[in-house]
Amino acid sequence: MKYKKILVVDDEQDLCEILLYNLTAAGYQAEAAYTGETAWEKIVNGKCFDLLILDVMMPGMTGFELAEKLKSNPKTSKLPIIFLTAKDAEDDTLQGFELGADDYITKPFSVREVVARVKAVLARSQSSTIKESIISFKGLVLDLSKKTTMVDGQSVSLTKTEFELLGFLMQHRGQVFSRQQIFDAVWPEDVVVSDRTVDVNITRMRKKIDHYGNCIVSRQGFGYLFEE
């Protein structure tokens, strides 16, 4: 059984300990970060979490600022977030959801309520992941679990990099990504590549997917996107 990993981010250490104890008792793996900066370092340095419980008001980097950084990074943009806050102003709640929050809990709260909300958000996230295992646009179909590519009913052989590159652009269709953002999303962190590497892989991949290659569009000075 794979235990879900949860990161609790709050400058109140006593509150973190209470949440860690109860989340662990509920069957999750949980750890804490007492600042937004520490949480960011944990995540960008390779620690994988299934959900973030994030306090809004913290000294230094606020919860909103951390969430904005995570949602703008292709590698962490889908990380589920539950905001914790002592505020109950409607504007704060709206700002949280606009930043991509999956839920919002106002302090003081019941620990049982938090655990229940965590369970619900993780269930929704897992359901969404299953649905997203197939990416398609007309006759262009990628099966992310089987790692197969079909073009109008015909199987096409893509390299691992080409497959992940195409999948990334199709999952974020209509959104322009710079070469650096594509590096971060597709290539391993310990690999050094040049701008030309992205261009070469996109050129090869375009040819392999036939007329759907026209959907991979370059925006000069900005980057690439998958355009319907």
Side-chain angles (χ1 to χ4, degrees):
M1 176 181 177
K2 182 181 177 182
Y3 293 95
K4 296 293 185 181
K5 297 179 180 179
I6 300 171
L7 179 62
V8 179
V9 188
D10 198 306
D11 59 316
E12 297 181 48
Q13 295 191 22
D14 290 345
L15 178 60
C16 286
E17 290 179 8
I18 292 171
L19 288 174
L20 294 184
Y21 175 82
N22 284 274
L23 288 168
T24 302
Y28 302 107
Q29 289 184 357
E31 62 182 87
Y34 305 123
T35 67
E37 291 85 354
T38 302
W40 174 252
E41 288 300 319
K42 284 177 178 284
I43 295 168
V44 298
N45 286 333
K47 284 220 171 186
C48 295
F49 297 99
D50 298 292
L51 183 142
L52 208 61
I53 297 178
L54 179 57
D55 184 35
V56 170
M57 299 302 295
M58 293 183 291
M61 185 189 296
T62 68
F64 286 155
E65 290 170 342
L66 175 58
E68 190 170 9
K69 290 187 70 170
L70 293 170
K71 292 301 181 180
S72 64
N73 186 320
K75 286 188 174 180
T76 56
S77 62
K78 294 186 181 297
L79 178 63
I81 297 175
I82 297 177
F83 276 121
L84 296 179
T85 180
K87 294 185 176 181
D88 57 3
E90 182 180 4
D91 287 347
D92 292 314
T93 305
L94 290 174
Q95 184 178 354
F97 284 121
E98 286 171 359
L99 286 170
D102 295 86
D103 208 341
Y104 209 105
I105 302 174
T106 302
K107 299 176 184 178
F109 50 76
S110 158
V111 174
R112 290 179 62 187
E113 177 190 7
V114 175
V115 173
R117 299 280 189 98
V118 165
K119 183 177 180 180
V121 169
L122 286 172
R124 290 200 302 268
S125 175
Q126 183 174 5
S127 174
S128 175
T129 300
I130 292 172
K131 290 177 183 177
E132 291 176 358
S133 64
I134 301 292
I135 310 173
S136 64
F137 172 70
K138 297 182 178 180
L140 178 61
V141 181
L142 273 66
D143 188 323
L144 300 184
S145 58
K146 295 181 180 179
K147 309 301 182 188
T148 58
T149 307
M150 302 292 289
V151 174
D152 294 333
Q154 299 296 315
S155 178
V156 172
S157 178
L158 299 181
T159 66
K160 179 177 183 294
T161 298
E162 291 166 354
F163 181 86
E164 292 183 356
L165 178 56
L166 179 57
F168 172 70
L169 292 174
M170 288 183 69
Q171 282 178 311
H172 301 86
R173 62 189 68 175
Q175 184 175 349
V176 178
F177 291 95
S178 67
R179 290 180 176 85
Q180 185 60 54
Q181 288 175 312
I182 293 173
F183 289 159
D184 294 340
V186 176
W187 273 264
E189 292 183 3
D190 57 347
V191 173
V192 178
V193 295
S194 66
D195 288 355
R196 182 65 180 156
T197 304
V198 171
D199 297 335
V200 168
N201 277 272
I202 286 181
T203 299
R204 285 202 309 248
M205 181 256 290
R206 274 173 168 161
K207 292 179 180 178
K208 291 182 180 180
I209 60 176
D210 200 31
H211 57 280
Y212 294 108
N214 295 327
C215 295
I216 310 296
V217 179
S218 172
R219 291 280 188 266
Q220 189 171 2
F222 295 98
Y224 291 97
L225 78 154
F226 187 97
E227 188 171 68
E228 297 184 13

